[in-house]
Amino acid sequence: MALKSRAKSAAGAADAEDSRAGPASSHFDPSTLDVPINRRLRVRWIGWRLRLLVGVALIGCLGIFMLMRFVASTPTLDAIWRADMDNSVVLVASGEAALQPFVGRPLVGIASSDGAGYSVSEAMLRRAPRWTVDDAARARLIESHRWLGAAFAQGPVVLQFEGGESVRIAPRPRGLQGLGLLFWPMAALALLLYLIGAVVLLVKPKLRHALFALITLCQAGNLLFIALEAARGLALPDGVVTQDLWLRMALDLVTAAAILHISTLHPTRLPVGRLIAVAGWLVVAAILAAGEPGSINGWWWWAQGGVVGLGCASIASLTWSYRREANPFTVMMRRFGLVTVGSLALLTLALAAASGVPGLQHRVAEVGSVVWYVFFASLLLVVPFLSRSRQVLREFALLAGISTVATSLDLLFVALFSLGQFASLTLSVFLSLGVYAGARQWILNQLTGSNVMTLERSFEKLYRVAREVEAHPQRHAALLAELLRDLFEPLEMLKIERRLAHARVVGDGSAMLVPAPRSGAADVGEELASRAWVLRFARRGKRIFTDDDARLADRVAEQLRRAVAYDRAVERGRSEERMRIAQDLHDDIGARLLTLMYQSQTPEMEDYIRHTLQDLKTLTRGLAAREHRLSHATAEWKADIVQRLTAAQIELGWSFSFDRDLGLTVVQWSALTRVLRELVTNAIYHARASRVEISAALQGGSLTLTVADDGSGRDPESWSHGLGLGGVRKRVKLLGGQVQWRENGSQGIVCEVQVPSFTEATPAPDSSATG
C-alpha cells in the first residue's frame, strides 16, 4: 500500500508538471479533433458511402463520355486555321485532299448549301465568349459560330479563297481525333476535381463540405467548357458558344459566393457570418438576373467585378476570423485567396489593356484564362490534402501560378509597351522563371505556411532534452512537452484522454495529437497510455501542421523513449555489476578477514578485524540493495556510528528529521555513508573529541547535515585537504551540494553539508569516487 501511494503521489506530481505544458483554452472546440479528410480517405469505404461514391463516379464518367460523343458527332471541316498579322484567316493544314492546294492562302468567304454567304473574319477563330470584354466583339463571335454550325449541319459548303478560287467541301463529324489534345487533360482534371468534391462531402456531410463540393462542381464545369473550346475546326456546337458567357459567369460567381460563405463558417464561425453569406448570394443573384435576358451593356464588367469583389470580401472575412482566433488554416486560406484574386485581377487588367490591340485579346482569352483555371483547380485539389506532404500538387499549383503571371505579363508588355510577340514572351518568361528559381521555396512556404526548423537546431534541442531525460527519467513527459513546444511553437498545448499509438494531424492541420508518455511507468512498453497532447496552432498560429510534423513528433518521442530505455539498461547493468562485486567481496575478502580474525594474536587485532568485517558487511549490503529507504539508512548509520564512538569512549548526540521517507539511490546512500564515516573518523583520530553532535534535516527536498565535535581542531581554512577531506568534498559535489568547515565556538570543528535539491531524481553517475 505504501509503495502504491508513493507511486500515485509521484504520478500526480508529474501530471501537475505536465499541466504546465500550455494553457487549457476555454475556447477549445472538440471538433478540432475531427479526423481530417486526408486521413479518412485511408479508411475502407463501406455501406452507403461506398455505393454513393461509386454512383457519383459512374455519373461523372458517363457525363464526360456523353459530352465527348456529342462533340465528336458535330460536323466540321478537317482543317487547321490561324489568323495572320492582317487578321485574315489562313489555312495551315488539312486532311482533305481538295484543300491541300490552298494551304497557306487566306479564306475570304463561305457559302452554305442554300446559297447564303458569310464574310470570314478572325472572330471565327475565337473560342471564349466568357473572356471577350467588348459586347460587340462578343456578339460577332457568337453569330459567327451560330451561322457556321447551321451551315455545316445543312450539307456541303463552298470555301472561297483569296484570288477568286473556291472549293466545295462536305463537313464531316469531328470524331475523337477532332476533339483536340487539350480536351483530354481538361476532362480528366474536371473529373478528378468533381470526385474530390464528392469525397469531401461524403466523408462528413456538412454545410461547408457541401459548399466545397459545389465549388469543385462549378470549376469542373469551367474546365469542361475549356475542353469543348479546344475542339478542332471552325465551328463549335451552338449551345457551347451561345451559353458560354452567362453559364461560365454563373459558375464563377457561384464559386466566389460559396468561398465567401465558407470563410464565414470555417475555421472560425463569424458572429454575423450568416448575414455576410446571404449578402454574397444576393449579389450573385442580382448580377445573373441582370445578364439573363440578353446581356445589358457592360454586364461583363459587372460580373467580373462581382467575382473579384466577392474574392476580396472572402479575404477580409478570413482576416477577421484570424483576429478572433489565430488559426493557421485561416492564414493559409487567406494566402491562397490573395494569390488567386491577385492573379485574376492581373488577368482582367491584361484583358482590358489588350482590348485595343487587334488579335491580342483573343490570345489573352485563349491562353491566360486556361492557365488561370488550371491554377485555381490545382489549388482546390491541394486544399483537402494540405496537412499531408503533397509536394507534386504544390509544385503543380506553383507552376500554374507562375504560368499565369508569365502569360499576363506577356500580354501587358505587348499592349502597353508595343513590344513584339517574341520580345514580350522572352521577357515575361525570363522574369517569371527568375522569380520561380529565386523565390520558389519562399513562395511554397508562404502558400502553405510552413517554416521547418533547421536540422541543426532540431538536433541540438533533441540532444539537450535526451540528456535531461537520461538524467531524470521520471520527467520524461514534462521534457517531451517542453521539446514539442520548442519545435512547433503552438499557441495552446493541453492534455486529453485519448488512446493514441502515433502522432497525427487533425482539424485540417490546425492541431496535432501526440501520445503522452505515462510518467513513472515501470516499463517502456507501458508509457503509451490513454492520454495525448493536443498541440494547436503551430508557430504561434502562423502555419498548419503537416504529416511531416507528425512523423517528426513520433521520431522525437521514440528517441526520448530510447533514452529512458538506455538509462534503465545502464542502471540494470550497474545494479548487476554491484551485485557481482558485493558477492565477490562477501565470498572472498569476507572469508579471508574471518580467517585472520580467528588467527589474530591479540584481542586488539581481533577487535579491529571484527569492525572491518562489520564495515564490509555494511558495504556489501548497500551495494546489493536496489533501493535504500532513508529511514532504514538512518538507522544503519546511527548503529554504526554508535558502535565506533562507544569503542572510543566518545559521547554521541544524534538528531535526524525528514518530512518524507525517500528512496535513496546507491550513489546517495554511498556518498552519505562515506561522508559520515570520514567525518566521525576525523573526530575520533585527529580531533580526539569527547563528544560528537550529528544532526540532519530533510525539508522540502533540501538536505542539511551537520557534524560537530569538541576536539582540538581549529582554523579549518589553513588545513591542507588530503584524500579524506578531498573525498568528502567530491562526494558532496556528486550530490549537487556544498560542504563547509568552521570553528565550533571555543573548541572543536563544525562541518556543514548543504544539498539544496535532494530528491529521488538525483542522477547516478557513471563511476563512484573513492578517497
Side-chain angles (χ1 to χ4, degrees):
M1 290 299 291
L3 289 175
K4 189 177 293 184
S5 64
R6 285 195 297 271
K8 287 183 177 179
S9 64
D15 286 345
E17 188 172 8
D18 290 344
S19 67
R20 294 193 293 271
S25 172
S26 58
H27 309 294
F28 179 62
D29 182 6
S31 66
T32 303
L33 305 181
D34 289 345
V35 178
I37 176 64
N38 54 58
R39 292 288 185 183
R40 286 183 180 264
L41 287 176
R42 301 177 185 175
V43 180
R44 197 174 79 182
W45 287 67
I46 58 175
W48 65 271
R49 281 190 176 88
L50 177 60
R51 290 192 290 270
L52 270 180
L53 182 59
V54 172
V56 166
L58 289 176
I59 291 173
C61 294
L62 181 62
I64 290 181
F65 177 74
M66 297 299 294
L67 184 66
M68 180 181 64
R69 287 200 57 185
F70 165 69
V71 179
S73 64
T74 56
T76 190
L77 299 179
D78 183 12
I80 299 176
W81 311 83
R82 65 171 176 82
D84 61 8
M85 299 299 296
D86 299 327
N87 289 329
S88 299
V89 178
V90 179
L91 177 63
V92 177
S94 176
E96 295 282 352
L99 289 177
Q100 295 291 335
F102 300 96
V103 172
R105 298 176 59 178
L107 180 69
V108 296
I110 300 177
S112 63
S113 58
D114 60 2
Y118 193 85
S119 179
V120 173
S121 67
E122 59 89 21
M124 290 182 175
L125 301 181
R126 299 183 184 178
R127 300 302 179 100
R130 159 69 177 90
W131 292 98
T132 303
V133 178
D134 184 68
D135 293 336
R138 189 185 314 111
R140 289 194 300 270
L141 186 155
I142 294 173
E143 180 60 29
S144 297
H145 284 275
R146 183 178 292 169
W147 189 91
L148 286 173
F152 290 164
Q154 290 177 7
V157 295
V158 176
L159 303 182
Q160 300 171 353
F161 289 91
E162 191 177 54
E165 295 185 70
S166 61
V167 61
R168 185 180 179 88
I169 296 293
R172 299 178 182 178
R174 282 187 171 84
L176 295 180
Q177 69 276 11
L179 297 179
L181 294 178
L182 193 60
F183 178 89
W184 306 105
M186 290 297 104
L189 185 58
L191 180 62
L192 177 61
L193 196 59
Y194 160 77
L195 290 177
I196 288 294
V199 169
V200 170
L201 181 59
L202 290 176
V203 163
K204 194 163 188 179
K206 282 185 174 182
L207 177 58
R208 66 172 185 264
H209 293 168
L211 290 170
F212 180 80
L214 177 62
I215 292 170
T216 57
L217 183 63
C218 290
Q219 292 310 304
N222 270 321
L223 293 174
L224 288 178
F225 267 104
I226 295 174
L228 293 176
E229 292 166 358
R232 297 172 59 184
L234 284 178
L236 291 178
D238 183 59
V240 174
V241 178
T242 57
Q243 300 300 319
D244 181 275
L245 175 65
W246 192 88
L247 281 178
R248 292 184 64 180
M249 276 295 190
L251 294 176
D252 286 338
L253 285 166
V254 169
T255 295
I259 291 175
L260 176 60
H261 198 161
I262 290 177
S263 68
T264 64
L265 297 174
H266 184 74
T268 303
R269 188 180 293 270
L270 298 179
V272 291
R274 185 172 298 178
L275 294 178
I276 296 174
V278 170
W281 289 112
L282 288 177
V283 168
V284 170
I287 294 175
L288 293 179
E292 162 109 31
S295 185
I296 62 174
N297 290 334
W299 182 81
W300 187 92
W301 286 106
W302 284 102
Q304 188 73 359
V307 174
V308 175
L310 289 171
C312 293
S314 300
I315 295 172
S317 298
L318 291 170
T319 303
W320 184 16
S321 174
Y322 185 76
R323 289 179 179 175
R324 291 179 56 84
E325 184 180 56
N327 193 315
F329 188 79
T330 309
V331 177
M332 179 273 304
M333 292 304 299
R334 186 174 61 183
R335 287 168 178 160
F336 276 3
L338 287 171
V339 173
T340 305
V341 176
S343 58
L344 179 60
L346 183 62
L347 179 60
T348 305
L349 180 63
L351 282 169
S355 59
V357 182
L360 181 59
Q361 194 176 70
H362 168 63
R363 190 149 57 95
V364 176
E366 292 248 333
V367 180
S369 62
V370 173
V371 173
W372 187 85
Y373 278 116
V374 172
F375 166 62
F376 186 42
S378 65
L379 290 184
L380 292 177
L381 290 175
V382 166
V383 168
F385 303 97
L386 278 171
S387 59
R388 302 191 66 188
S389 180
R390 297 291 184 182
Q391 192 65 25
V392 174
L393 288 176
R394 293 175 185 174
E395 292 285 355
F396 178 66
L398 180 58
L399 286 173
I402 292 295
S403 301
T404 304
V405 174
T407 303
S408 303
L409 288 176
D410 173 33
L411 301 172
L412 283 174
F413 289 152
V414 172
L416 298 179
F417 304 108
S418 301
L419 296 177
Q421 290 187 2
F422 178 78
S424 65
L425 181 61
T426 302
L427 183 59
S428 61
V429 170
F430 177 78
L431 291 176
S432 301
L433 290 180
V435 171
Y436 175 77
R440 170 185 166 276
Q441 191 59 49
W442 181 85
I443 294 173
L444 282 174
N445 289 343
Q446 292 302 309
L447 286 177
T448 59
S450 60
N451 187 18
V452 181
M453 182 183 295
T454 63
L455 180 62
E456 182 180 357
R457 286 184 59 200
S458 301
F459 179 79
E460 179 185 350
K461 289 180 179 292
L462 178 59
Y463 178 77
R464 176 179 57 81
V465 173
R467 292 298 300 269
E468 286 286 326
V469 169
E470 289 180 3
H472 307 281
Q474 72 283 353
R475 295 192 62 227
H476 180 190
L479 290 170
L480 177 57
E482 177 187 343
L483 180 57
L484 292 175
R485 281 199 308 272
D486 290 341
L487 289 175
F488 302 113
E489 301 179 43
L491 272 181
E492 295 177 346
M493 186 172 177
L494 47 140
K495 188 173 287 187
I496 61 170
E497 295 295 327
R498 187 142 180 166
R499 183 171 295 277
L500 201 64
H502 300 285
R504 60 184 179 85
V505 178
V506 295
D508 297 321
S510 62
M512 181 171 65
L513 294 177
V514 180
R518 189 171 64 191
S519 300
D523 187 76
V524 176
E526 298 178 9
E527 289 179 353
L528 290 181
S530 59
R531 293 182 299 175
W533 282 309
V534 181
L535 282 69
R536 303 183 70 211
F537 311 148
R539 227 187 87 200
R540 315 302 296 172
K542 294 182 180 179
R543 79 170 182 90
I544 62 173
F545 288 103
T546 66
D547 274 7
D548 292 334
D549 295 326
R551 284 190 287 270
L552 176 60
D554 279 336
R555 289 172 183 172
V556 165
E558 177 62 25
Q559 290 301 318
L560 295 189
R561 282 196 291 270
R562 289 181 179 179
V564 173
Y566 172 78
D567 179 76
R568 290 173 180 167
V570 169
E571 187 57 37
R572 272 197 303 271
R574 288 172 178 167
S575 177
E576 292 172 0
E577 185 65 14
R578 285 193 299 267
M579 288 286 291
R580 186 188 65 80
I581 293 173
Q583 191 68 45
D584 290 347
L585 288 174
H586 180 274
D587 295 345
D588 190 4
I589 306 300
R592 295 189 182 190
L593 287 173
L594 186 61
T595 301
L596 287 175
M597 185 182 70
Y598 287 126
Q599 295 177 352
S600 61
Q601 303 296 323
T602 63
E604 290 81 5
M605 180 63 70
E606 181 181 350
D607 189 56
Y608 180 80
I609 295 175
R610 183 177 289 108
H611 287 159
T612 303
L613 273 172
Q614 184 64 34
D615 291 344
L616 179 63
K617 207 177 276 188
T618 302
L619 175 63
T620 55
R621 188 166 60 247
L623 288 174
R626 293 191 175 184
E627 185 184 71
H628 303 264
R629 302 311 304 175
L630 183 56
S631 55
H632 298 165
T634 304
E636 289 182 353
W637 294 333
K638 184 178 181 181
D640 178 64
I641 293 171
V642 166
Q643 183 181 17
R644 296 181 65 196
L645 293 180
T646 300
Q649 298 180 352
I650 298 174
E651 295 181 8
L652 172 65
W654 179 270
S655 173
F656 207 116
S657 62
F658 46 88
D659 54 1
R660 63 185 186 278
D661 192 9
L662 295 181
L664 303 180
T665 65
V666 173
V667 170
Q668 289 173 324
W669 175 86
S670 176
L672 290 175
T673 299
R674 295 180 181 182
V675 165
L676 282 170
R677 181 166 294 174
E678 180 64 30
L679 294 177
V680 170
T681 298
N682 289 340
I684 294 174
Y685 295 105
H686 298 295
R688 302 184 185 279
S690 61
R691 181 174 175 82
V692 175
E693 293 281 349
I694 299 177
S695 63
L698 177 64
Q699 188 69 33
S702 177
L703 175 67
T704 302
L705 173 64
T706 303
V707 178
D709 65 69
D710 60 355
S712 59
R714 305 298 291 172
D715 192 15
E717 294 183 358
S718 64
W719 294 353
S720 59
H721 290 229
L723 291 177
L725 297 183
V728 170
R729 285 187 180 277
K730 193 171 184 178
R731 291 187 178 92
V732 172
K733 187 176 180 180
L734 286 176
L735 297 176
Q738 295 179 342
V739 61
Q740 181 182 10
W741 285 269
R742 65 177 184 273
E743 293 183 350
N744 186 15
S746 60
Q747 189 176 4
I749 294 295
V750 175
C751 179
E752 183 175 334
V753 175
Q754 290 279 352
V755 183
S757 179
F758 189 83
T759 64
E760 291 176 302
T762 303
D766 292 337
S767 60
S768 299
T770 59

